Amino acid sequence: TPTNTNASTASTPSPATTTGTDPATAIAASARASSPPDTVRFGLSVGTDLTTGSFRLNVGHRHLSDGGSEWRNQLALGRLQRLGTDRFHPVDRRGLVALVPYAEVSRQALPLYVSDRRISEFLVERLGVGLDAAVQTTGLGEIRIGPLLERARVTRGENGLLDFSTGDFVDTPDQLATFAALRVRYRHDTLDVAFLPRAGSRLNLDYIDGITSGVDRSRYQFGALEAQWFGSVGRDTFEVFGQWGGYIRLDDVSPRWFTLGGFHRLSGYALDRFSGTDILFGRLQWRRSIGQAGALGDRLWVGATLEAGRITGSLLNTGLPDGPTPIAASLFVASETPL
């Protein structure tokens, strides 16, 4: 999480300061404090597999205060509907230790396929609130740990859920559970830019250990790992991406689901073709800068990917069938646009 470690409460220009010992090469600087910024960002993602389309609109708001705290709000509309807020409040002058209260509500529609034919869908709704203690280590990323309370509901689709043993739809009741958990997160990001990076790496680790509320308490343990690396040689850039996630133990309804299918997530398969509670996925990517994009943007790229992955462990039988792990590939064109 970004921190405003250089926040100032001064309201008048500071005196000019000079650095350097040689007058011929010295640098003079005069700083003026400004009001805390409020930033609003928009993003739109549109995709289609020529059969099913999807879109996602993201809206983000960020406010930085004079004391260095940061308040962020995120709204997502589309197949995944999400509203989240958190506040990063440093407890030391350097901003290396902070308290982060957060809340999130989401609703996701996941399709149900049989033999590549979409026959139904189910909804996963989740509400979560928590408080993290965040520690930023110089050059080694950020660690967060704290309590989490979440509530999950899985709602059957328009035709009910499919019993694969009989081939019939079953009008099952909604599955609902409330969890109290301890969440540990680690983030390390050295990418040079967020979009189409050419160098650096990114590592995300998550671990959650919780129990359900009520008389019949059940336990769940969840872990997830995402690792990504970029390197460039001349005009060529290479990416290695790997993802693993799933439940070490799960005795009740799952509050977290993974999906595969769509652009660079098993390209060639329908969007969100596979959904379940456990994932193993890998991708290799190559792209080459072929010049300026003109009116479309700054740079134009061509590239290719090789992807493999599978989803298992679905409580609703929506994962991959038994058999070889699917392998996919793609060719693509990309551009950095003014938008």
Side-chain angles (χ1 to χ4, degrees), residues 50-68:
L50 303 182
T51 301
T52 304
S54 72
F55 82 96
R56 182 173 179 177
L57 174 65
N58 295 317
V59 181
H61 166 259
R62 185 181 71 169
H63 173 80
L64 291 175
S65 68
D66 287 339

Side-chain angles (χ1 to χ4, degrees), residues 126-190:
R126 177 179 170 271
L127 170 65
V129 294
L131 175 65
D132 283 343
V135 179
Q136 298 191 32
T137 57
T138 305
L140 297 178
E142 180 189 71
I143 299 175
R144 293 189 180 190
I145 182 171
L148 166 66
L149 180 65
E150 57 185 351
R151 186 178 180 90
R153 180 194 298 271
V154 177
T155 307
R156 64 179 178 83
E158 63 269 21
N159 297 324
L161 300 181
L162 185 67
D163 185 343
F164 277 70
S165 62
T166 63
D168 298 326
F169 286 97
V170 181
D171 188 7
T172 58
D174 297 347
Q175 301 181 40
L176 177 67
T178 302
F179 303 91
L182 177 70
R183 186 181 74 170
V184 180
R185 311 186 79 181
Y186 173 74
R187 300 288 185 265
H188 185 250
D189 191 334
T190 63

